[in-house]
Amino acid sequence: MSPNDIHTPVLLERCVELLAPALSRDGAVFVDGTLGMGGHSEAFLERFPHIRLVGLDRDTDALRIAGERLARFGDRVTLVHTVNDGIAAAVRSAGYDAADGILFDLGVSSLQLDRADRGFAYSQDAPLDMRMDQTTGTTAADIVASYGEGDLRRIFERYGEEKLAGRYARAIIAARQQSPVDRSGRLVEILIAATPYAAQRQGHPAKRVFQALRIEVNRELAVLERAVPDALDILPVGGRIVVLSFQSLEDRIVKRVLAAATASTAPAGLPVELPEHQPKFRLLVRGAELASDQERERNPRAIPVRLRAAERVRAAA
Ligand SMILES: C[S@@+](CC[C@H](N)C(=O)[O-])C[C@H]1O[C@@H](n2cnc3c(N)ncnc32)[C@H](O)[C@@H]1O
């Protein structure tokens, strides 16, 4: 299978259109903060032959595959193994002091979901890992084995928005007293058995719990809270950022950070807005943009996407 077959870049044309004005300068730096298999990056490198790419991913498999895919672009490409809240340091380590265009295409890739041994998918039995970066950190199995009932309940509620969080937390605690819950198949069985019959028809019982565990394992929301402001900090005037979110918890964070960046900081009641209070960014799209019906039909991964974008209009103080 080629990378093209396993991951169709979401909202590619819209991302190109929104970032194009920021990438017109010869030598402009494009940062792909979630490189994955390099689908978006490859298209940007082809369409803007004068740009340079800094591609970041915390997953070494993704970096290897994207590295092979992008090898033909030679020294226009620098790939960095990092969590993307290290975006500013990664850009500096690649030899640049700013980024003209930045893209975040959040979440897991089809590669991660489809590789059974990564444990992200509730449809395939595998060790409960779920780390995007398999070189470090706590696995989902560690969490399921060690968190108390209250903590399991809290993450299922908070990161899965799961109504049966308490019931599932109790079922896991009871099951792990019998034998370790270290495979996705066993966790799915426990969750199905703990789901009342009426609720079984409202989607797969494991979907939200798996989402919650993945977010906890990879600290996804805490990282995003830092990564978007850090990305804004390295954009020069005219620099642009596009963020694609795939669930409401991520989108809420992006919305809040961009709202703050595009707001005036003038104290309430001041009759005129002083230049230093004017917003440093402007929003490029109203609200969150969705994929078209045609794209949703062609590419099911595009169904939940929410796109937000902004441009720097004033230099940092
Ligand atoms: C949805 S995929 C990106 C797909 C890519 N745009 C393409 O077209 O091939 C998301 C990728 O970002 C990586 N990723 C997610 N969150 C990350 C983070 N906080 N820091 C670094 N990489 C991250 C994942 O490991 C995954 O490979």
Side-chain angles (χ1 to χ4, degrees):
M1 237 185 329
S2 84
N4 256 330
D5 296 326
I6 47 182
H7 193 109
T8 312
V10 174
L11 288 175
L12 174 62
E13 294 309 320
R14 189 63 175 132
C15 293
V16 168
E17 185 184 14
L18 284 164
L19 291 175
L23 298 176
S24 58
R25 176 180 68 80
D26 195 18
V29 177
F30 170 58
V31 180
D32 186 339
T34 49
L35 181 71
M37 282 169 290
H40 283 98
S41 282
E42 179 177 55
F44 273 85
L45 287 161
E46 276 171 356
R47 294 189 198 197
F48 304 98
H50 53 277
I51 65 167
R52 305 200 152 252
L53 166 76
V54 183
L56 320 181
D57 208 295
R58 64 200 295 184
D59 182 336
T60 51
D61 280 353
L63 287 166
R64 183 178 44 75
I65 292 173
E68 286 165 14
R69 182 179 191 170
L70 304 177
R72 65 191 165 97
F73 298 103
D75 67 1
R76 291 174 61 204
V77 173
T78 310
L79 303 187
V80 186
H81 181 218
T82 181
V83 180
N84 57 25
D85 59 354
I87 185 168
V91 167
R92 272 197 308 277
S93 77
Y96 308 109
D97 39 48
D100 300 285
I102 298 176
L103 174 67
F104 286 122
D105 172 18
L106 301 172
V108 276
S109 68
S110 321
L111 171 78
Q112 290 162 333
L113 279 174
D114 292 348
R115 284 268 309 273
D117 57 328
R118 304 292 300 264
F120 285 106
Y122 51 81
S123 54
Q124 314 186 56
D125 182 40
L128 260 185
D129 189 324
M130 296 199 198
R131 287 170 302 164
M132 288 183 185
D133 182 352
Q134 290 189 297
T135 66
T136 180
T138 306
T139 66
D142 296 332
I143 289 172
V144 166
S146 63
Y147 280 27
E149 186 181 320
D151 283 336
L152 287 175
R153 179 189 180 132
R154 176 185 55 79
I155 62 170
F156 298 161
E157 268 170 4
R158 199 174 289 173
Y159 301 151
E161 300 181 289
E162 173 55 71
K163 292 196 189 73
L164 300 174
R167 185 186 273 261
Y168 288 156
R170 275 194 303 283
I172 289 169
I173 301 286
R176 79 184 189 199
Q177 278 154 11
Q178 310 302 315
S179 61
V181 183
D182 54 5
R183 297 194 62 91
S184 51
R186 171 140 153 80
L187 178 58
V188 169
E189 279 167 23
I190 295 164
L191 297 173
I192 290 178
T195 307
Y197 182 69
Q200 302 242 356
R201 283 169 299 166
Q202 296 155 14
H204 196 292
K207 184 172 175 206
R208 292 165 184 279
V209 167
F210 271 58
Q211 171 180 307
L213 286 171
R214 197 197 86 200
I215 291 175
E216 177 74 0
V217 165
N218 297 292
R219 306 270 183 247
E220 288 177 40
L221 302 181
V223 167
L224 188 62
E225 298 258 13
R226 297 188 294 268
V228 181
D230 279 12
L232 295 179
D233 279 350
I234 57 167
L235 288 173
V237 172
R240 291 181 167 209
I241 182 168
V242 172
V243 185
L244 309 181
S245 306
F246 292 85
Q247 33 101 346
S248 53
L249 298 163
E250 287 170 345
D251 183 52
R252 253 178 258 159
I253 292 173
V254 179
K255 178 181 177 187
R256 182 164 38 76
V257 174
L258 294 188
T262 52
S264 165
T265 53
L270 212 67
V272 282
E273 187 187 49
L274 300 172
E276 63 267 31
H277 292 145
Q278 282 168 5
K280 296 194 177 74
F281 289 84
R282 73 177 176 103
L283 291 176
L284 295 171
V285 299
R286 272 173 66 90
E289 222 169 79
L290 312 180
S292 67
D293 290 345
Q294 294 95 303
E295 178 163 358
R296 287 155 163 252
E297 234 163 75
R298 250 193 350 262
N299 183 8
R301 223 184 82 79
I303 294 171
V305 73
R306 299 271 181 284
L307 177 151
R308 296 185 187 270
E311 178 185 46
R312 185 183 279 280
V313 291
R314 193 161 75 75

